[in-house]
Amino acid sequence: MVSYKDLGLVNTRDMFAKAIKGGYAIPAFNFNNMEQLQAIIQAAAETKSPVILQVSKGARQYANSTLLRYMAEGAVQYARELGWEHPQIVLHLDHGDSFELCKDCVDMGFSSVMIDGSHLPYDENVALTRKVVEYAHKYDVTVEGELGVLAGVEDDVKAEHHTYTRPEEVVDFVTKTGCDSLAISIGTSHGAYKFRPEQCHVDPATGRLVPPPLAFDVLEGVMKELPGFPIVLHGSSSVPQEEVDTINKYGGKLKAAIGIPEDELRKAAALAVCKINIDSDSRLAMTAAVRKVLAEHPEEFDPRKYLGPARENMRKLYIHKIVNVLGSNGKAE
């Protein structure tokens, strides 16, 4: 058994309470490798922002669970080396799909886990979430549950259509499960193709697709039922068009990739949403930089020469999200 506290990590309880009170959201950045982790810590340390390091089931398998433990411990020490005296860093399991996976993450030093039973019948979702909560809370690990289904693809999580969260269910779900935060569905979606072209309209000024607005009436309904409770948005990458354009310019084939407008995320962060998940934007920033270097320098074969610029491009992206979208900068001095 590895305690996250021995690794220097924190859980989400206090940071969410402060975010709700302060009207901002905590960045939850997914990572799969060292360069992504370095960029996240550099950005968080520079901006003094609390941060959630997210690891999906697939990323955990890719990186190795033992290595992840030491990477998380190293991230805390790296943050201190960068001058962040009291780093507020969470290691979080994203979209856990079983009690056994969540338990193993708790046992390996994760400070927060998500159990995603949203695809199950309601009563089964409640029972599974409650089982995870009962185990995690023994070790002061916080738990995120989910109601509603997001469309799109993220690792092993796949859904053709979204189902909005029903506000009338949230009090019963939170009461019965004891979860610490709740992921809801208001129209966000996983992946870089969050909407079909027929769901969007074309901006006459730019010629780009504009997605439909998020269902803020659902969010407001949830807020009314659960005042002051931490709400989470998944699938909230904005899919920066400049990164998509760079990828396509240098041989990529991303057609009709579209994300969530940043002004909508800013609005959500000012309400009850205190955790916003971002994964695809990082992948796009990394891929764009790698493609550019290799296209302009086809003789290059040293990974540091293309992964270094990729890391820097991600760092800039993370800082932009923290400062200009989520408003979490300066909240973890």
Side-chain angles (χ1 to χ4, degrees), residues 6-39:
D6 293 337
L7 306 183
L9 300 167
V10 300
N11 66 25
T12 61
R13 193 170 292 115
D14 288 344
M15 64 171 60
F16 282 177
K18 292 176 182 177
I20 293 172
K21 185 176 180 180
Y24 60 90
I26 308 296
F29 297 130
N30 288 67
F31 78 98
N32 302 273
N33 58 31
M34 183 185 74
E35 286 77 16
Q36 286 179 308
L37 180 60
Q38 288 174 316

Side-chain angles (χ1 to χ4, degrees), residues 228-250:
F229 192 80
I231 301 301
V232 176
L233 284 188
H234 284 242
S236 297
S237 284
S238 298
V239 187
Q241 287 303 302
E242 62 271 21
E243 306 294 0
V244 173
D245 291 344
T246 298
I247 290 170
N248 290 337
K249 177 181 178 180
Y250 294 107

Side-chain angles (χ1 to χ4, degrees), residues 38-270:
Q38 288 174 316
I40 293 169
I41 297 303
Q42 288 169 1
E46 181 174 336
T47 60
K48 297 299 186 292
S49 168
V51 70
I52 297 171
L53 304 174
Q54 290 205 149
V55 180
S56 66
K57 177 182 177 181
R60 188 167 180 261
Q61 292 171 337
Y62 178 83
N64 177 268
S65 60
T66 301
L67 279 175
L68 275 175
R69 165 197 167 183
Y70 291 102
M71 289 176 77
E73 184 175 17
V76 174
Q77 297 304 319
Y78 181 38
R80 290 173 178 153
E81 288 178 11
L82 293 173
W84 193 7
E85 188 175 355
H86 301 292
Q88 295 180 23
I89 300 173
V90 172
L91 181 62
H92 174 76
L93 171 65
D94 189 25
H95 285 291
D97 60 359
S98 69
F99 170 78
E100 290 74 20
L101 174 59
C102 291
K103 178 182 181 300
D104 196 37
C105 286
V106 171
D107 293 347
M108 287 296 289
F110 279 62
S111 57
S112 177
V113 295
M114 178 199 185
I115 179 62
D116 182 2
S118 61
H119 58 288
L120 298 171
Y122 180 79
D123 289 342
E124 293 182 27
N125 186 4
V126 168
L128 176 59
T129 304
R130 181 64 201 173
K131 185 177 182 181
V132 171
V133 167
E134 288 175 347
Y135 185 80
H137 280 187
K138 292 178 184 177
Y139 305 99
D140 201 26
V141 171
T142 42
V143 179
E144 176 185 327
E146 180 167 347
L147 270 180
V149 178
L150 272 67
V153 177
E154 181 182 14
D155 286 358
D156 297 326
V157 181
K158 301 177 182 179
E160 291 292 330
H161 305 284
H162 66 251
T163 302
Y164 287 144
T165 301
R166 299 173 61 190
E168 61 270 23
E169 292 181 340
V170 296
V171 172
D172 183 72
F173 184 84
V174 168
T175 301
K176 287 181 177 177
T177 63
C179 65
D180 301 284
S181 60
L182 183 65
I184 66 171
S185 173
I186 62 170
T188 55
S189 180
H190 293 128
Y193 301 91
K194 299 186 183 300
F195 305 97
R196 298 185 302 276
E198 58 268 25
Q199 294 177 286
C200 308
H201 69 272
V202 178
D203 183 340
T206 64
R208 296 190 184 278
L209 293 175
V210 178
L214 298 180
F216 280 97
D217 58 323
V218 175
L219 174 58
E220 289 165 1
V222 171
M223 291 170 57
K224 182 179 179 181
E225 296 294 328
L226 288 173
F229 192 80
I231 301 301
V232 176
L233 284 188
H234 284 242
S236 297
S237 284
S238 298
V239 187
Q241 287 303 302
E242 62 271 21
E243 306 294 0
V244 173
D245 291 344
T246 298
I247 290 170
N248 290 337
K249 177 181 178 180
Y250 294 107
K253 294 182 179 180
L254 294 179
K255 296 181 179 179
I258 187 168
I260 308 299
E262 290 185 340
D263 58 347
E264 301 241 296
L265 297 177
R266 277 188 284 268
K267 180 179 177 181

